[in-house]
Amino acid sequence: MKNLLSLFSLLVLLASCDKKSKIEKEIENILVSVKVERFDKIFNETPVSNLSQIKQKYPYLFPVATPDSVWVNKMKNPLNRELYTEVQKKYSNFEKVNTDLDNLFRHIKYYFPKTKTPKVITLISEMDYQNKAIYADTLVVISLDLYLGKKHKFYEFPEYLKQNFEENQIMPDIVSSFAATKIPYISDNTLLSQMIYAGKELYLKDVLLPETTDAEKIGYTPEQITWCQENESYMWRYFMEDKLLYSTDSKLPNRFINVAPFSKFYLEIDNETPGRVGTWVGWQIVRSFMNNNDVTLQQVLQMDSMELFQKSKYKPKK
């Protein structure tokens, strides 16, 4: 009997892998070619006298209320010129990023057929780390100055922010912005709803970025992923025993959902924890739901948080 169960499990696993490979083969055959325009190069290599020409071609990048003197000063600013030089050192060859973009939007086209393939604009954003990559229907904007590598000399940010200033975060950041257009925002402010909303975003990365590691999807180090896996049951017990899941306490997002150096259990172990552990647990709930229910990606993204949780059969690993 034991051997039969083992054989059955193996057949299920092989069938799952075969199904996945068939989907990936279909995705590979989707024709997508993302057009990338290096606005960072255009802006910094255009003479000041031709500023009006750039503004005419890219009006959406030049707010009407901003006088030309601001752009002229930026063109001439030595620090901006140095930053541009550093961006070119890192991204003089954009082929790999271009390939990753094509692959990402092939996946998006497969799961969201009506989605238009956008034009991609690269620029230098003066270190606006809250808007590293923006998806806006037919346009994707990538701030290359925020993907130079966490050890870059220009970064005067806390370590927990700098660790995601890496090239491998470009695609996950684009998906995060894309997710905001596909996942209805929560109708209540309970911690559970916020966890599941964040979990849906990360599950979308599972589907659209299948070759990306879990650490890269959530913006953790491998060690932080290990910490969450080893402490999953303890975290869940804490949420349950302190009756936090259905709480609308305004402090909870900063403690467990938002980007932070660590999570706040108000225990001695806090400094050992990664930030956003509620987001990680929400991810596991959504994964559990998808493993135990036969629904489409679009259906799970639209589903009510409470219904999803109740049908997830989520049990933290001990």
Side-chain angles (χ1 to χ4, degrees):
M1 184 67 179
K2 185 177 180 180
N3 289 336
L4 285 174
L5 287 174
S6 298
L7 178 60
F8 177 74
S9 297
L10 178 60
L11 290 173
V12 170
L13 178 62
L14 290 173
S16 176
C17 291
D18 185 55
K19 181 181 179 182
K20 182 179 179 180
S21 65
K22 285 181 180 177
I23 290 175
E24 287 302 313
K25 286 177 182 176
E26 289 181 32
I27 291 172
E28 287 176 3
N29 290 326
I30 296 174
L31 296 177
V32 165
S33 180
V34 177
K35 181 181 179 183
V36 177
E37 294 188 14
R38 294 293 302 272
F39 179 78
D40 55 307
K41 295 184 70 173
I42 294 169
F43 181 83
N44 285 282
E45 294 181 7
T46 296
V48 171
S49 58
N50 292 337
L51 174 61
S52 60
Q53 296 176 18
I54 309 176
K55 291 178 64 178
Q56 186 175 5
K57 186 174 181 181
Y58 301 95
Y60 45 86
L61 296 177
F62 294 90
V64 175
T66 304
D68 284 356
S69 59
V70 171
W71 307 116
V72 171
N73 288 338
K74 185 174 181 179
M75 284 176 157
K76 295 180 177 180
N77 187 291
L79 286 176
N80 183 70
R81 303 300 301 176
E82 187 178 357
L83 179 56
Y84 170 65
T85 299
E86 293 299 304
V87 169
Q88 296 316 303
K89 285 180 184 177
K90 174 70 175 175
Y91 293 106
S92 59
N93 186 333
F94 212 64
E95 187 174 336
K96 182 183 181 304
V97 180
N98 228 140
T99 299
D100 290 343
L101 286 165
D102 285 348
N103 193 38
L104 168 59
F105 281 96
R106 269 193 291 270
H107 282 78
I108 289 177
K109 198 73 175 176
Y110 178 85
Y111 290 102
F112 303 93
K114 294 182 180 181
T115 301
K116 298 176 182 178
T117 300
K119 177 170 65 175
V120 173
I121 303 287
T122 63
L123 46 72
I124 294 173
S125 67
E126 298 181 358
M127 301 294 176
D128 181 7
Y129 71 88
Q130 293 182 316
N131 294 290
K132 294 162 65 185
I134 300 172
Y135 171 90
D137 191 27
T138 58
L139 189 68
V140 170
V141 178
I142 303 173
S143 300
L144 292 182
D145 51 317
L146 288 161
Y147 298 102
L148 296 176
K150 62 185 178 183
K151 295 183 179 179
H152 197 278
K153 62 182 180 179
F154 279 179
Y155 293 150
E156 297 180 356
F157 294 94
E159 289 298 325
Y160 75 95
L161 290 176
K162 289 195 295 184
Q163 74 181 40
N164 288 311
F165 291 0
E166 298 281 352
E167 181 180 335
N168 63 21
Q169 286 299 297
I170 295 177
M171 299 309 133
D173 285 345
I174 292 173
V175 176
S176 288
S177 185
F178 175 76
T181 70
K182 299 300 177 184
I183 307 172
Y185 200 66
I186 52 179
S187 57
D188 62 68
N189 289 318
T190 64
L191 178 63
L192 178 63
S193 290
Q194 294 181 72
M195 289 166 63
I196 290 177
Y197 179 89
K200 288 178 181 180
E201 177 188 317
L202 286 163
Y203 184 77
L204 190 58
K205 294 181 184 182
D206 284 340
V207 174
L208 300 181
L209 300 170
E211 302 301 319
T212 302
T213 67
D214 280 4
E216 290 167 350
K217 289 170 191 169
I218 194 171
Y220 278 178
T221 64
E223 293 76 19
Q224 289 174 322
I225 288 287
T226 299
W227 189 94
C228 287
Q229 292 169 337
E230 292 177 348
N231 292 277
E232 183 175 357
S233 63
Y234 298 107
M235 290 190 288
W236 187 247
R237 187 167 65 196
Y238 178 88
F239 292 145
M240 296 291 285
E241 290 179 352
D242 280 42
K243 299 180 180 179
L244 299 182
L245 292 180
Y246 303 106
S247 172
T248 57
D249 185 342
S250 61
K251 295 179 182 178
L252 291 175
N254 284 334
R255 290 175 63 189
F256 301 115
I257 302 295
N258 300 334
V259 176
F262 53 84
S263 296
K264 299 176 182 66
F265 293 92
Y266 301 143
L267 299 171
E268 291 182 3
I269 64 165
D270 278 6
N271 287 335
E272 301 173 16
T273 69
R276 306 175 66 215
V277 295
T279 292
W280 187 87
V281 174
W283 190 10
Q284 309 320 304
I285 293 172
V286 176
R287 281 175 164 177
S288 180
F289 173 85
M290 293 304 289
N291 287 335
N292 289 297
N293 296 272
D294 185 16
V295 300
T296 65
L297 175 63
Q298 289 78 3
Q299 287 172 327
V300 71
L301 296 182
Q302 297 292 322
M303 187 169 288
D304 174 75
S305 297
M306 183 59 68
E307 181 185 359
L308 188 154
F309 174 60
Q310 291 173 343
K311 293 181 178 179
S312 70
K313 301 179 182 178
Y314 171 68
K315 290 184 180 179
K317 297 175 183 177
K318 295 182 180 179

